[in-house]
PDB file of all heavy atoms in Angstrom:
ATOM      1  N   GLY A  71      40.504   0.339   8.367  1.00  0.00           N
ATOM      2  CA  GLY A  71      39.343   0.157   9.230  1.00  0.00           C
ATOM      3  C   GLY A  71      38.141   0.989   8.812  1.00  0.00           C
ATOM      4  O   GLY A  71      37.021   0.716   9.296  1.00  0.00           O
ATOM      5  N   ASN A  72      38.300   1.945   7.915  1.00  0.00           N
ATOM      6  CA  ASN A  72      37.160   2.742   7.469  1.00  0.00           C
ATOM      7  C   ASN A  72      36.219   1.860   6.675  1.00  0.00           C
ATOM      8  O   ASN A  72      36.619   1.061   5.836  1.00  0.00           O
ATOM      9  CB  ASN A  72      37.617   3.856   6.563  1.00  0.00           C
ATOM     10  CG  ASN A  72      37.992   5.120   7.346  1.00  0.00           C
ATOM     11  OD1 ASN A  72      38.187   5.090   8.520  1.00  0.00           O
ATOM     12  ND2 ASN A  72      38.144   6.219   6.611  1.00  0.00           N
ATOM     13  N   ILE A  73      34.904   2.008   6.944  1.00  0.00           N
ATOM     14  CA  ILE A  73      33.905   1.236   6.201  1.00  0.00           C
ATOM     15  C   ILE A  73      33.651   1.961   4.902  1.00  0.00           C
ATOM     16  O   ILE A  73      33.400   3.158   4.820  1.00  0.00           O
ATOM     17  CB  ILE A  73      32.633   1.114   7.009  1.00  0.00           C
ATOM     18  CG1 ILE A  73      32.869   0.259   8.270  1.00  0.00           C
ATOM     19  CG2 ILE A  73      31.506   0.495   6.216  1.00  0.00           C
ATOM     20  CD1 ILE A  73      31.752   0.161   9.205  1.00  0.00           C
ATOM     21  N   LEU A  74      33.740   1.157   3.785  1.00  0.00           N
ATOM     22  CA  LEU A  74      33.535   1.736   2.464  1.00  0.00           C
ATOM     23  C   LEU A  74      32.102   1.508   1.987  1.00  0.00           C
ATOM     24  O   LEU A  74      31.466   2.420   1.424  1.00  0.00           O
ATOM     25  CB  LEU A  74      34.487   1.096   1.483  1.00  0.00           C
ATOM     26  CG  LEU A  74      35.984   1.120   1.879  1.00  0.00           C
ATOM     27  CD1 LEU A  74      36.827   0.373   0.871  1.00  0.00           C
ATOM     28  CD2 LEU A  74      36.447   2.552   2.022  1.00  0.00           C
ATOM     29  N   VAL A  75      31.602   0.284   2.151  1.00  0.00           N
ATOM     30  CA  VAL A  75      30.253  -0.064   1.645  1.00  0.00           C
ATOM     31  C   VAL A  75      29.572  -0.959   2.689  1.00  0.00           C
ATOM     32  O   VAL A  75      30.202  -1.902   3.177  1.00  0.00           O
ATOM     33  CB  VAL A  75      30.295  -0.806   0.319  1.00  0.00           C
ATOM     34  CG1 VAL A  75      28.915  -1.137  -0.178  1.00  0.00           C
ATOM     35  CG2 VAL A  75      31.047  -0.021  -0.729  1.00  0.00           C
ATOM     36  N   ARG A  76      28.328  -0.675   3.046  1.00  0.00           N
ATOM     37  CA  ARG A  76      27.527  -1.588   3.832  1.00  0.00           C
ATOM     38  C   ARG A  76      26.494  -2.158   2.893  1.00  0.00           C
ATOM     39  O   ARG A  76      25.792  -1.401   2.200  1.00  0.00           O
ATOM     40  CB  ARG A  76      26.856  -0.858   4.972  1.00  0.00           C
ATOM     41  CG  ARG A  76      27.762  -0.623   6.132  1.00  0.00           C
ATOM     42  CD  ARG A  76      26.934  -0.712   7.439  1.00  0.00           C
ATOM     43  NE  ARG A  76      27.790  -0.476   8.573  1.00  0.00           N
ATOM     44  CZ  ARG A  76      28.265  -1.463   9.343  1.00  0.00           C
ATOM     45  NH1 ARG A  76      27.927  -2.699   9.094  1.00  0.00           N
ATOM     46  NH2 ARG A  76      28.994  -1.193  10.361  1.00  0.00           N
ATOM     47  N   GLN A  77      26.355  -3.500   2.831  1.00  0.00           N
ATOM     48  CA  GLN A  77      25.460  -4.123   1.850  1.00  0.00           C
ATOM     49  C   GLN A  77      24.991  -5.458   2.373  1.00  0.00           C
ATOM     50  O   GLN A  77      25.527  -6.005   3.301  1.00  0.00           O
ATOM     51  CB  GLN A  77      26.259  -4.327   0.540  1.00  0.00           C
ATOM     52  CG  GLN A  77      27.490  -5.140   0.710  1.00  0.00           C
ATOM     53  CD  GLN A  77      28.303  -5.221  -0.566  1.00  0.00           C
ATOM     54  OE1 GLN A  77      27.896  -4.771  -1.621  1.00  0.00           O
ATOM     55  NE2 GLN A  77      29.504  -5.744  -0.461  1.00  0.00           N
ATOM     56  N   ARG A  78      23.962  -5.970   1.741  1.00  0.00           N
ATOM     57  CA  ARG A  78      23.427  -7.336   2.008  1.00  0.00           C
ATOM     58  C   ARG A  78      23.742  -8.121   0.741  1.00  0.00           C
ATOM     59  O   ARG A  78      23.206  -7.872  -0.276  1.00  0.00           O
ATOM     60  CB  ARG A  78      21.949  -7.342   2.257  1.00  0.00           C
ATOM     61  CG  ARG A  78      21.525  -6.609   3.510  1.00  0.00           C
ATOM     62  CD  ARG A  78      21.958  -7.347   4.734  1.00  0.00           C
ATOM     63  NE  ARG A  78      21.811  -6.531   5.947  1.00  0.00           N
ATOM     64  CZ  ARG A  78      22.779  -5.897   6.568  1.00  0.00           C
ATOM     65  NH1 ARG A  78      23.989  -5.980   6.111  1.00  0.00           N
ATOM     66  NH2 ARG A  78      22.563  -5.193   7.631  1.00  0.00           N
ATOM     67  N   GLY A  79      24.693  -9.073   0.861  1.00  0.00           N
ATOM     68  CA  GLY A  79      25.145  -9.811  -0.307  1.00  0.00           C
ATOM     69  C   GLY A  79      26.275  -9.027  -0.979  1.00  0.00           C
ATOM     70  O   GLY A  79      26.651  -7.980  -0.545  1.00  0.00           O
ATOM     71  N   THR A  80      26.830  -9.594  -2.023  1.00  0.00           N
ATOM     72  CA  THR A  80      27.967  -8.985  -2.660  1.00  0.00           C
ATOM     73  C   THR A  80      27.514  -8.197  -3.901  1.00  0.00           C
ATOM     74  O   THR A  80      27.749  -8.599  -5.047  1.00  0.00           O
ATOM     75  CB  THR A  80      29.011 -10.056  -3.078  1.00  0.00           C
ATOM     76  OG1 THR A  80      28.343 -11.063  -3.846  1.00  0.00           O
ATOM     77  CG2 THR A  80      29.657 -10.649  -1.901  1.00  0.00           C
ATOM     78  N   HIS A  81      26.870  -7.075  -3.677  1.00  0.00           N
ATOM     79  CA  HIS A  81      26.525  -6.152  -4.790  1.00  0.00           C
ATOM     80  C   HIS A  81      27.852  -5.542  -5.293  1.00  0.00           C
ATOM     81  O   HIS A  81      28.000  -5.370  -6.478  1.00  0.00           O
ATOM     82  CB  HIS A  81      25.588  -5.067  -4.336  1.00  0.00           C
ATOM     83  CG  HIS A  81      24.268  -5.557  -3.895  1.00  0.00           C
ATOM     84  ND1 HIS A  81      23.328  -6.090  -4.740  1.00  0.00           N
ATOM     85  CD2 HIS A  81      23.701  -5.676  -2.663  1.00  0.00           C
ATOM     86  CE1 HIS A  81      22.248  -6.451  -4.100  1.00  0.00           C
ATOM     87  NE2 HIS A  81      22.463  -6.244  -2.799  1.00  0.00           N
ATOM     88  N   VAL A  82      28.727  -5.228  -4.369  1.00  0.00           N
ATOM     89  CA  VAL A  82      30.018  -4.701  -4.694  1.00  0.00           C
ATOM     90  C   VAL A  82      31.071  -5.681  -4.156  1.00  0.00           C
ATOM     91  O   VAL A  82      31.024  -6.057  -2.952  1.00  0.00           O
ATOM     92  CB  VAL A  82      30.248  -3.278  -4.129  1.00  0.00           C
ATOM     93  CG1 VAL A  82      31.621  -2.758  -4.497  1.00  0.00           C
ATOM     94  CG2 VAL A  82      29.135  -2.327  -4.585  1.00  0.00           C
ATOM     95  N   HIS A  83      32.002  -6.107  -4.996  1.00  0.00           N
ATOM     96  CA  HIS A  83      33.016  -7.102  -4.573  1.00  0.00           C
ATOM     97  C   HIS A  83      34.266  -6.365  -4.108  1.00  0.00           C
ATOM     98  O   HIS A  83      34.617  -5.305  -4.611  1.00  0.00           O
ATOM     99  CB  HIS A  83      33.337  -8.032  -5.736  1.00  0.00           C
ATOM    100  CG  HIS A  83      32.214  -8.863  -6.148  1.00  0.00           C
ATOM    101  ND1 HIS A  83      31.950 -10.117  -5.574  1.00  0.00           N
ATOM    102  CD2 HIS A  83      31.204  -8.645  -7.040  1.00  0.00           C
ATOM    103  CE1 HIS A  83      30.861 -10.628  -6.168  1.00  0.00           C
ATOM    104  NE2 HIS A  83      30.415  -9.756  -7.015  1.00  0.00           N
ATOM    105  N   PRO A  84      35.011  -6.938  -3.146  1.00  0.00           N
ATOM    106  CA  PRO A  84      36.253  -6.289  -2.691  1.00  0.00           C
ATOM    107  C   PRO A  84      37.364  -6.428  -3.713  1.00  0.00           C
ATOM    108  O   PRO A  84      37.500  -7.466  -4.376  1.00  0.00           O
ATOM    109  CB  PRO A  84      36.571  -7.043  -1.386  1.00  0.00           C
ATOM    110  CG  PRO A  84      35.946  -8.375  -1.543  1.00  0.00           C
ATOM    111  CD  PRO A  84      34.690  -8.156  -2.377  1.00  0.00           C
ATOM    112  N   GLY A  85      38.182  -5.407  -3.845  1.00  0.00           N
ATOM    113  CA  GLY A  85      39.357  -5.446  -4.693  1.00  0.00           C
ATOM    114  C   GLY A  85      40.600  -5.441  -3.870  1.00  0.00           C
ATOM    115  O   GLY A  85      40.609  -5.929  -2.727  1.00  0.00           O
ATOM    116  N   GLY A  86      41.671  -4.806  -4.389  1.00  0.00           N
ATOM    117  CA  GLY A  86      42.927  -4.812  -3.657  1.00  0.00           C
ATOM    118  C   GLY A  86      42.892  -3.934  -2.421  1.00  0.00           C
ATOM    119  O   GLY A  86      42.289  -2.871  -2.440  1.00  0.00           O
ATOM    120  N   ASN A  87      43.471  -4.425  -1.346  1.00  0.00           N
ATOM    121  CA  ASN A  87      43.569  -3.684  -0.065  1.00  0.00           C
ATOM    122  C   ASN A  87      42.203  -3.395   0.551  1.00  0.00           C
ATOM    123  O   ASN A  87      42.028  -2.451   1.323  1.00  0.00           O
ATOM    124  CB  ASN A  87      44.338  -2.371  -0.224  1.00  0.00           C
ATOM    125  CG  ASN A  87      45.758  -2.615  -0.606  1.00  0.00           C
ATOM    126  OD1 ASN A  87      46.396  -3.555  -0.152  1.00  0.00           O
ATOM    127  ND2 ASN A  87      46.270  -1.825  -1.525  1.00  0.00           N
ATOM    128  N   VAL A  88      41.198  -4.182   0.169  1.00  0.00           N
ATOM    129  CA  VAL A  88      39.812  -4.037   0.707  1.00  0.00           C
ATOM    130  C   VAL A  88      39.429  -5.398   1.286  1.00  0.00           C
ATOM    131  O   VAL A  88      39.566  -6.400   0.597  1.00  0.00           O
ATOM    132  CB  VAL A  88      38.833  -3.559  -0.341  1.00  0.00           C
ATOM    133  CG1 VAL A  88      37.390  -3.565   0.219  1.00  0.00           C
ATOM    134  CG2 VAL A  88      39.180  -2.169  -0.809  1.00  0.00           C
ATOM    135  N   GLY A  89      38.910  -5.413   2.514  1.00  0.00           N
ATOM    136  CA  GLY A  89      38.444  -6.611   3.103  1.00  0.00           C
ATOM    137  C   GLY A  89      36.933  -6.698   3.199  1.00  0.00           C
ATOM    138  O   GLY A  89      36.256  -5.668   2.997  1.00  0.00           O
ATOM    139  N   MET A  90      36.415  -7.923   3.410  1.00  0.00           N
ATOM    140  CA  MET A  90      34.947  -8.070   3.498  1.00  0.00           C
ATOM    141  C   MET A  90      34.590  -8.748   4.816  1.00  0.00           C
ATOM    142  O   MET A  90      35.173  -9.762   5.157  1.00  0.00           O
ATOM    143  CB  MET A  90      34.415  -8.890   2.339  1.00  0.00           C
ATOM    144  CG  MET A  90      32.892  -8.972   2.312  1.00  0.00           C
ATOM    145  SD  MET A  90      32.219  -9.543   0.796  1.00  0.00           S
ATOM    146  CE  MET A  90      32.753 -11.215   0.732  1.00  0.00           C
ATOM    147  N   GLY A  91      33.685  -8.171   5.567  1.00  0.00           N
ATOM    148  CA  GLY A  91      33.282  -8.728   6.853  1.00  0.00           C
ATOM    149  C   GLY A  91      32.224  -9.821   6.665  1.00  0.00           C
ATOM    150  O   GLY A  91      31.808 -10.118   5.579  1.00  0.00           O
ATOM    151  N   ARG A  92      31.799 -10.402   7.809  1.00  0.00           N
ATOM    152  CA  ARG A  92      30.829 -11.462   7.755  1.00  0.00           C
ATOM    153  C   ARG A  92      29.486 -11.014   7.170  1.00  0.00           C
ATOM    154  O   ARG A  92      28.750 -11.831   6.628  1.00  0.00           O
ATOM    155  CB  ARG A  92      30.563 -12.015   9.189  1.00  0.00           C
ATOM    156  CG  ARG A  92      31.711 -12.824   9.743  1.00  0.00           C
ATOM    157  CD  ARG A  92      31.343 -13.434  11.047  1.00  0.00           C
ATOM    158  NE  ARG A  92      30.566 -12.531  11.830  1.00  0.00           N
ATOM    159  CZ  ARG A  92      29.914 -12.854  12.965  1.00  0.00           C
ATOM    160  NH1 ARG A  92      30.036 -14.105  13.397  1.00  0.00           N
ATOM    161  NH2 ARG A  92      29.232 -12.000  13.670  1.00  0.00           N
ATOM    162  N   ASP A  93      29.127  -9.744   7.416  1.00  0.00           N
ATOM    163  CA  ASP A  93      27.879  -9.260   6.910  1.00  0.00           C
ATOM    164  C   ASP A  93      28.048  -8.525   5.559  1.00  0.00           C
ATOM    165  O   ASP A  93      27.240  -7.683   5.212  1.00  0.00           O
ATOM    166  CB  ASP A  93      27.212  -8.320   7.916  1.00  0.00           C
ATOM    167  CG  ASP A  93      28.068  -7.106   8.234  1.00  0.00           C
ATOM    168  OD1 ASP A  93      29.266  -7.077   7.856  1.00  0.00           O
ATOM    169  OD2 ASP A  93      27.554  -6.153   8.853  1.00  0.00           O
ATOM    170  N   PHE A  94      29.107  -8.874   4.809  1.00  0.00           N
ATOM    171  CA  PHE A  94      29.409  -8.331   3.490  1.00  0.00           C
ATOM    172  C   PHE A  94      29.808  -6.866   3.509  1.00  0.00           C
ATOM    173  O   PHE A  94      29.806  -6.213   2.479  1.00  0.00           O
ATOM    174  CB  PHE A  94      28.216  -8.572   2.504  1.00  0.00           C
ATOM    175  CG  PHE A  94      27.836  -9.995   2.373  1.00  0.00           C
ATOM    176  CD1 PHE A  94      26.702 -10.515   3.026  1.00  0.00           C
ATOM    177  CD2 PHE A  94      28.577 -10.863   1.584  1.00  0.00           C
ATOM    178  CE1 PHE A  94      26.344 -11.818   2.893  1.00  0.00           C
ATOM    179  CE2 PHE A  94      28.200 -12.173   1.443  1.00  0.00           C
ATOM    180  CZ  PHE A  94      27.078 -12.696   2.120  1.00  0.00           C
ATOM    181  N   THR A  95      30.168  -6.349   4.641  1.00  0.00           N
ATOM    182  CA  THR A  95      30.682  -4.977   4.756  1.00  0.00           C
ATOM    183  C   THR A  95      32.071  -4.885   4.161  1.00  0.00           C
ATOM    184  O   THR A  95      32.933  -5.739   4.535  1.00  0.00           O
ATOM    185  CB  THR A  95      30.668  -4.508   6.214  1.00  0.00           C
ATOM    186  OG1 THR A  95      29.335  -4.487   6.688  1.00  0.00           O
ATOM    187  CG2 THR A  95      31.242  -3.093   6.341  1.00  0.00           C
ATOM    188  N   LEU A  96      32.312  -3.915   3.288  1.00  0.00           N
ATOM    189  CA  LEU A  96      33.647  -3.730   2.779  1.00  0.00           C
ATOM    190  C   LEU A  96      34.383  -2.647   3.551  1.00  0.00           C
ATOM    191  O   LEU A  96      33.784  -1.620   3.833  1.00  0.00           O
ATOM    192  CB  LEU A  96      33.540  -3.339   1.292  1.00  0.00           C
ATOM    193  CG  LEU A  96      32.823  -4.295   0.363  1.00  0.00           C
ATOM    194  CD1 LEU A  96      32.884  -3.800  -1.076  1.00  0.00           C
ATOM    195  CD2 LEU A  96      33.352  -5.675   0.443  1.00  0.00           C
ATOM    196  N   PHE A  97      35.640  -2.891   3.916  1.00  0.00           N
ATOM    197  CA  PHE A  97      36.388  -1.967   4.699  1.00  0.00           C
ATOM    198  C   PHE A  97      37.818  -1.859   4.160  1.00  0.00           C
ATOM    199  O   PHE A  97      38.305  -2.781   3.436  1.00  0.00           O
ATOM    200  CB  PHE A  97      36.424  -2.405   6.161  1.00  0.00           C
ATOM    201  CG  PHE A  97      36.987  -3.793   6.379  1.00  0.00           C
ATOM    202  CD1 PHE A  97      38.374  -3.967   6.637  1.00  0.00           C
ATOM    203  CD2 PHE A  97      36.184  -4.931   6.360  1.00  0.00           C
ATOM    204  CE1 PHE A  97      38.898  -5.205   6.829  1.00  0.00           C
ATOM    205  CE2 PHE A  97      36.749  -6.181   6.525  1.00  0.00           C
ATOM    206  CZ  PHE A  97      38.079  -6.283   6.777  1.00  0.00           C
TER     207      PHE A  97
END
Side-chain angles (χ1 to χ4, degrees):
N72 275 13
I73 294 176
L74 307 176
V75 181
R76 282 213 179 258
Q77 58 186 350
R78 296 290 170 257
T80 52
H81 297 287
V82 180
H83 295 271
N87 298 320
V88 174
M90 185 165 67
R92 288 186 322 170
D93 62 347
F94 302 102
T95 296
L96 302 184
F97 58 91

